[in-house]
Amino acid sequence: MNRNPTKSPRANILVVDDTPNNLRLLSTLLTEQGYEVGKALNGQLAIKSAQAAPPDLILLDIKMPQMNGYEVCQQLKSHDQTKQIPIIFISAIDEVLDKVKAFQIGGVDYITKPFQREEVLARVENHLNIQALNNALRQEQKKSENLLLNTLPKTIVEELKQHQRAIPKEYDEASFLFSDIVEFAANSSSMPPTEVVDLLNQVFSAFDQLAQHHGVEKIRTIGDAYFVAGGVPLVRPDHAAAIAEMALDMQQAIAQFRWPNGQPLALRIGINTGGPVVAAVLGTKKFAYDVWGDTVNIASRMETQGAPGKIHVTTATYEQLQDKYQLQKRGVITVKSKGEMTTYWLVGRRW
């Protein structure tokens, strides 16, 4: 029977058998078909070999001293590095219960000795093709997951994977930051649209790196506005400090960018702390993660009623930051829909 080895180019197969003659026979058969073949005379060597250089497929004998084939399979299936390797059992044992056990512990096929050359090659080729398709599917799933991670928090992606939906969650307290680029419309109106997009991409990419560094979550961007949460979706007691660090570093980062006229970009930042707030995923075709609550609205007001180059915070945020950060009292201001509020400027760190 003529087989075309190019269907599985340079596939690496590990043959495990404690009988040298069987090992040599299978090795020669597979090598003649263009496969790269590794050999192991016992279970311990097989596990070490598979972990050091995972093969594309394993042909595994059952009756071996010290560690039988079932135990080898269970060991390999218990480790992330080797659990996806297809294992074909090849044994003189022809009992139904033994075959059932082989499949129950993770084997993909079972060949009975004495084996036929054509049967071994056909089954090997078939499972290598299946494995190639599974690998391609896993790659596509990984791409899809990475796309989701660009839109949603990691914990939410995991919840969607497990339950196909994310349950809205209430948080007792968190901190929120809104920022926008000062005079963005006026300064960008004379720029080509592609340059405006490129500038925003550079700025927001820098902010994204800061968010990852400080363990806070970017919720969304709207135009030149950037919205970040601390303590959502991952609860952390130091959410106010994390957002403060984010704000201070954002002010440093934005100073590295210039308008075409050479003037540096500047941010207006507002922060508020409180709760409760509710976070949830909206949509079924295009997902969006967002947070709602009066605390969020006030954080937005702090930004719009702030000042260029400054970080405007509420009394609630001030109370959590005052021991470790330098803050200056702004005084009483009238906040839309809230009335009079005492607010502060976050200036820097005390250390």
Side-chain angles (χ1 to χ4, degrees), residues 18-200:
D18 66 322
T19 304
N21 285 340
N22 289 339
L23 203 62
R24 184 166 50 251
L25 179 60
L26 286 168
S27 177
T28 301
L29 172 62
L30 296 168
T31 302
E32 287 175 350
Q33 297 299 307
Y35 298 114
E36 294 185 358
V37 180
K39 294 174 282 188
L41 278 166
N42 59 58
Q44 292 91 337
L45 289 176
I47 291 172
K48 288 181 180 179
S49 177
Q51 291 176 340
D56 299 301
L57 183 142
I58 296 174
L59 285 174
L60 180 60
D61 188 23
I62 293 178
K63 294 187 71 174
M64 296 184 293
Q66 296 181 336
M67 179 180 286
N68 64 42
Y70 296 136
E71 293 170 322
V72 174
C73 183
Q74 288 173 321
Q75 286 275 343
L76 293 173
K77 294 301 178 182
S78 67
H79 291 86
D80 289 340
Q81 188 181 13
T82 54
K83 68 180 182 181
Q84 301 294 349
I85 301 171
I87 296 174
I88 299 176
F89 284 96
I90 184 162
S91 174
I93 303 174
D94 197 22
E95 297 295 328
V96 172
L97 291 179
D98 291 291
K99 293 180 180 181
V100 170
K101 181 177 181 180
F103 287 110
Q104 286 177 337
I105 63 175
V108 297
D109 211 338
Y110 194 105
I111 300 173
T112 304
K113 297 176 183 177
F115 53 80
Q116 297 295 317
R117 176 181 184 275
E118 290 79 5
E119 180 186 8
V120 171
L121 293 177
R123 291 179 186 271
V124 164
E125 184 179 301
N126 181 54
H127 286 292
L128 285 171
N129 289 335
I130 292 173
Q131 180 71 348
L133 291 173
N134 287 335
N135 287 338
L137 178 60
R138 281 190 285 269
Q139 288 296 320
E140 290 304 313
Q141 289 174 333
K142 186 65 176 177
K143 290 179 183 178
S144 298
E145 183 176 332
N146 287 337
L147 286 173
L148 277 177
L149 287 171
N150 287 333
T151 307
L152 303 173
K154 186 176 181 179
T155 54
I156 302 302
V157 171
E158 291 299 322
E159 188 175 354
L160 286 171
K161 285 168 60 179
Q162 292 181 20
H163 308 293
Q164 286 73 56
R165 66 186 295 262
I167 300 172
K169 186 174 181 181
E170 182 174 296
Y171 296 84
D172 293 333
E173 186 179 83
S175 292
F176 302 94
L177 177 157
F178 282 86
S179 76
D180 77 338
I181 300 174
V182 177
E183 299 294 335
F184 178 80
N187 283 297
S188 64
S189 60
S190 60
M191 297 171 61
T194 54
E195 290 186 13
V196 175
V197 172
D198 182 60
L199 176 62
L200 280 176

